[in-house]
Amino acid sequence: MASARATEVEHLLPDDLPIRVMRWHAQDSLELHRHPFFELVTVNAGRGIHVTNAGEFPIVAGDVFVISGPVSHGYKMTDRLVITNILFLPKRLRMPMQDIRELPGYHVLFTLEPHYRAKGHFESRLHLEPRERSLVASWVEALDQELVAQKPAYRFLATAHFMQIVGFLSRCYSSRRVPAAAPLLRIGQALSYLEQHFAEPIRLEELERIAHMSRTALLRAFRQALDVSPIDYLIRLRISRASELLRNSELSVSEIGYRVGFSDSNYFARQFRSVMGTSPRAYRGAKA
DNA sequence: AGGCGTTTCCGCCAAC
DNA sequence: CAGTTGGCGGAAACGC
């Protein structure tokens, strides 16, 4: 039954614009279900228990959280619960990310928390004030109408509405000082610092200062949240940017290595191979 | 929370 | 000549 529902929902996500808005009311019993896409959940009214295969936690009106990929979840003990879900596939959406990744809250909401929840942690989540809630609700409504009406250029406008929602929520989270969210927010601050300064020499000492954590605490929290060490993350970030430049520019390999933070082109080529499996030039030549 | 042994990074030269 | 790989050693990052 659960898999049938997931399949049914998947068919509702078109290839050319994989976003959909769905609303659930308490009277609809929603069993555990799973699906391959992301789900941005906003609790509009009431309360209930959110259940996943890793545990359960209470939710109330104003809560916002993201479920990612293959996590089974559902709701129980609902009391006048009204929920709005935005289902989306971030990769196929191809929305311009610009500088959103410079916001700590973006990392916390869309990467760190979903990953953390899959391990059974729920203490951290975004809670919106009434004013913020109504703003988000209006944008969600606009998004839904674009998706339903499908007037000319609806893809463009729907993406814009979705970006408005993502950006606003990320900003909200960035400015929060919720104790339960503090550890993840600190990692989020480290991530946004890396996003902005990845091309410069970065030492662990700086990240400790940015995140306000000791070296030990930083390393442990970082690995717990991302399954990777800070310097490993930085290297992968640099290589990721380098491969973009290899695909989309005519710059020389050495110049690209230099621009993404490798002062030594020999070292750049070696790290590129260790991450991507091939050399930079072979990677550029293989793009088809 | 800090110490310590081990691993990895990183900049350099050399050689295809 | 640009790019890639290998080796080396001090520095740092890492995990216990």
Side-chain angles (χ1 to χ4, degrees), chain A residues 45-228:
Chain A
R47 57 182 62 249
I49 307 285
H50 184 242
V51 186
T52 79
N53 50 6
E56 29 183 273
F57 66 100
I59 53 175
V60 300
D63 283 351
V64 177
F65 53 93
V66 175
I67 304 295
S68 76
V71 175
S72 299
H73 73 121
Y75 305 94
K76 73 173 187 182
M77 295 179 62
T78 58
D79 175 18
R80 294 183 299 278
L81 186 65
V82 180
I83 282 177
T84 301
N85 294 342
I86 303 179
L87 312 178
F88 63 103
L89 280 168
K91 284 183 180 165
R92 282 205 270 132
L93 255 185
R94 288 199 318 235
M95 65 178 180
M97 298 305 282
Q98 304 271 22
D99 48 3
I100 183 70
R101 297 174 69 89
E102 293 177 9
L103 285 176
Y106 169 79
H107 297 285
V108 178
L109 188 57
F110 289 94
T111 305
L112 300 175
E113 278 190 0
H115 191 271
Y116 222 50
R117 274 197 200 91
K119 295 183 175 180
H121 299 83
F122 308 106
E123 59 275 11
S124 162
R125 66 186 170 280
L126 177 61
H127 185 81
L128 296 181
E129 303 301 320
R131 259 173 53 91
E132 300 166 334
R133 250 184 274 175
S134 59
L135 274 173
V136 171
S138 67
W139 293 322
V140 171
E141 183 59 30
L143 168 62
D144 196 18
Q145 285 183 10
E146 283 293 339
L147 291 172
V148 169
Q150 302 206 349
K151 294 176 186 169
Y154 77 93
R155 296 179 186 84
F156 183 86
L157 283 164
T159 303
H161 291 313
F162 185 62
M163 289 173 64
Q164 174 80 59
I165 295 165
V166 169
F168 180 79
L169 292 175
S170 298
R171 267 195 187 162
C172 284
Y173 218 157
S174 298
S175 60
R176 287 294 193 275
R177 288 181 180 269
V178 183
L184 287 183
L185 262 181
R186 288 172 174 178
I187 297 298
Q189 283 173 340
L191 290 185
S192 60
Y193 180 82
L194 289 174
E195 290 288 337
Q196 292 173 260
H197 301 98
F198 68 92
E200 307 160 21
I202 293 179
R203 285 192 288 116
L204 212 50
E205 193 178 357
E206 300 170 55
L207 295 182
E208 296 168 20
R209 183 169 45 80
I210 300 299
H212 304 287
M213 299 172 92
S214 73
R215 175 159 307 205
T216 312
L218 176 65
L219 291 176
R220 200 161 67 93
F222 211 98
R223 183 164 288 280
Q224 175 123 30
L226 292 161
D227 289 331
V228 78

